[in-house]
Amino acid sequence: MTSIGRTADVLRVGNCSGFYGDRFSAMREMLEGGDLDVLTGDYLAELTMLILARDRAKDPSTGYAKTYLRQVEDCLGLAMERGVTLVANAGGVNPEGLATALVETAKKLGLSPRIGYVAGDDLTSRAGELELGEPLAAHAYLGAFGIAEGLRAGADVLITGRVTDASVIIGPAIAHFDWQRTDFDALAGATAAGHIIECGTQATGGNYSFFEEVGEMIRPGFPIAEIHDDGTSVITKHEGTGGAVTTDTVLAQLLYEIGDARYPGPDVTMRLDQVKVAQVGPDRVSLSGARGEAPPADVKVSCNALGGFRNEMVFVLTGLDIEAKAALVRRQFEDALQVQPAQVTWDLARTEHPDADTEQAATALLSVVARDSDERKVGRAFSNAAVEIALGSIPGFHVTTPPTRGQAYGVFTPGYVPQSAPDHHVVLPDGTRVTIDAPTQTQHVEPLTGEDATLPEAPTGETERAPLGAVCGARSGDKGGSANIGVWARSDAAFAWMVNTLTVSRLQELLPETASLTVRRTVLPTMRSVNFVVDGILGEGVAYNARFDPQAKGLGEWLRSRYVDVPKTLLQEAK
């Protein structure tokens, strides 16, 4: 076996990208900042896959993250000099195309890296036979064993298409420690580490409830996982970089985009309710206790389709009589529309303040969104109607943008196929094609919410009205058309209060937008956390733009801002 680590017992895996568009300089910063064995990057999301699929439909040679190609052009020599292996899912919908482009780039640089790629995730041409409908793109979330095979063969650069986000971290650990398919605990531990660092600086203070405690946040450092042969790890970052690695920054990321306590992946089902997080030094947090179970028999498929066309206009309402002004604008606009789109939705954001000392602070926003399969019905005729009423409408009438054409929007639908359905394979640096067999040991993954566990008794005593965020942190994100809200307490007493107070019905009271939706709660005592999944709040996915916050990034912070009766002892403790 080819080892990719400097030492046998620890593998240092860094990350330099959490999405397509992340900090360009991060690859160089990570390579120059200190020792690494592997540098990974996550460039894919559901919306990104749709964008890349549309790119490739226009030009078959594209469909990958071009940013990564430029980053490697800048840093390949440095990576090879330092002996750092590069692994990224930047291949998007065309990993072979990116691998080919990297080979050409290396030749121009006078370098000869060994480059391989993982493919087989693309099920688009087989979508019908696999009962996935007729999407523009259908890509299975592959696991990490193809990555491991490429690294065992000595790849200096290993490119993938759609794999699970954590797979780019798990794969190097499989190769280095020679883990097998049934090493479930070790695989689960690496999954936890991968889940934390794959979103980049979200693990080092970014998107973090208590950001004012972090310190220097101009350029947070990107995270590193020091993975051990039993799957335990330490999350850290390069010395001297911004941000921080604390139990809370790590907990926040563990709660990001999860469901219940069983976190299924193509290689292992991780038990989140077993994970323990501990501060073991400055900017060093250990992950232990992860337990793994067999993976599900099916693998998830990202199905993206064009849902139709969309247009939006936003009216600015200033000063007094906001609701009356909104009602008049709506009546006038609907009268001016010559063609009726299939769907028209209105939203009034009451952002104005009484007796405001700036015009902007005295302003509310009224938006109207149209959707239709016929581009003409949401085109210039729609947005022109918003302008045509201008001189005969409310006082102070104006809009935020000029009339525009409609834009295509996407719809995400998760699909599931047997683990054996994708043609999972890796093309090694010498051109050899190696098929990656599906796991033979699988299970039906039953939901695990922890609601039947014995919960701690809530503290009693005098209470005070205060924001939930005075004693709890939160992290939220999108899960297809649903969203998750992970909430964690900062002490045992605060958890005992939170877990008894923040029930599903209480959440729906605090967040009225969720009241008509199905909400599921999971209790995670080892992390002093609860997680909520709100089904359908994002409509048909991120690209659908169903609400003001289409990726549910701020949903957790909205929850933290709501006032509840908090025991005074907890408020004193939090100061």
Side-chain angles (χ1 to χ4, degrees), residues 36-378:
L36 291 174
D37 298 313
V38 182
L39 183 57
T40 65
D42 175 21
Y43 292 78
L44 303 183
E46 291 156 4
L47 180 57
T48 311
M49 294 298 287
L50 175 62
I51 293 169
L52 295 177
R54 294 187 68 195
D55 286 347
R56 194 179 188 192
K58 296 174 185 176
D59 180 354
S61 68
T62 64
Y64 54 79
K66 296 176 183 177
T67 300
Y68 186 74
L69 182 62
R70 300 201 310 272
Q71 286 176 306
V72 173
E73 182 177 14
D74 176 53
C75 297
L76 181 59
L78 179 61
M80 295 181 70
E81 176 186 324
R82 297 198 166 215
V84 178
T85 303
L86 303 179
V87 181
N89 62 12
V93 301
N94 189 9
E96 181 180 6
L98 178 55
T100 299
L102 286 168
V103 169
E104 293 303 313
T105 296
K107 286 180 181 177
K108 292 177 184 176
L109 296 172
L111 300 171
S112 301
R114 294 162 294 185
I115 298 173
Y117 66 91
V118 174
D121 58 294
D122 190 350
L123 303 178
T124 308
S125 64
R126 300 168 54 203
E129 69 178 82
L130 293 171
E131 299 182 352
L132 298 171
E134 298 180 0
L136 176 67
H139 291 262
Y141 287 80
L142 300 181
F145 279 85
I147 296 170
E149 190 68 27
L151 297 178
R152 285 185 178 118
D156 301 306
V157 182
L158 202 288
I159 299 301
T160 79
R162 179 72 278 186
V163 296
T164 68
D165 297 342
S167 286
V168 294
I169 293 97
I170 303 167
I174 294 171
H176 182 69
F177 297 116
D178 198 26
W179 292 338
Q180 303 304 305
R181 284 280 189 183
T182 54
D183 289 325
F184 292 135
D185 287 350
L187 291 168
T191 300
H195 181 62
I196 290 165
I197 75 168
E198 55 89 3
C199 267
T201 52
Q202 282 196 170
T204 59
N207 195 10
Y208 172 58
S209 293
F210 306 103
F211 64 95
E212 291 183 304
E213 299 176 1
V214 171
E216 178 54 63
M217 280 290 291
I218 300 300
R219 296 171 73 85
F222 277 72
I224 299 165
E226 296 177 351
I227 304 174
H228 298 265
D229 61 359
D230 61 355
T232 60
S233 64
V234 171
I235 307 301
T236 185
K237 63 186 183 69
H238 284 320
E239 188 175 350
T241 57
V245 179
T246 69
T247 54
D248 279 1
T249 67
V250 169
L251 271 175
Q253 186 55 27
L254 268 173
L255 293 170
Y256 185 57
E257 294 182 343
I258 64 170
D260 58 58
R262 283 192 167 101
Y263 187 85
D267 299 320
V268 66
T269 298
M270 176 178 62
R271 287 284 298 272
L272 277 163
D273 60 333
Q274 302 294 311
V275 177
K276 296 180 179 64
V277 179
Q279 196 84 39
V280 293
D283 292 319
R284 293 182 64 80
V285 171
S286 70
L287 288 178
S288 63
R291 292 292 176 265
E293 300 172 345
D298 293 338
V299 64
K300 185 177 178 181
V301 183
S302 169
C303 299
N304 287 283
L306 291 179
F309 298 87
R310 179 185 185 277
N311 205 343
E312 179 177 11
M313 293 297 289
V314 180
F315 304 90
V316 180
L317 315 178
T318 306
L320 304 176
D321 308 317
I322 294 298
E323 291 189 7
K325 287 173 179 175
L328 177 57
V329 166
R330 179 169 178 172
R331 291 198 306 271
Q332 290 179 316
F333 178 84
E334 289 173 344
D335 180 72
L337 270 182
Q338 297 178 358
V339 179
Q340 185 68 32
Q343 183 183 37
V344 177
T345 56
W346 292 85
D347 183 61
L348 175 60
R350 297 296 300 268
T351 53
E352 85 283 0
H353 302 279
D355 194 23
D357 56 3
T358 67
E359 182 178 347
Q360 188 172 8
T363 295
L365 299 176
L366 175 66
S367 64
V368 58
V369 177
R371 292 184 178 87
D372 202 289
S373 58
D374 186 343
E375 185 176 5
R376 295 169 298 177
K377 292 185 178 181
V378 297

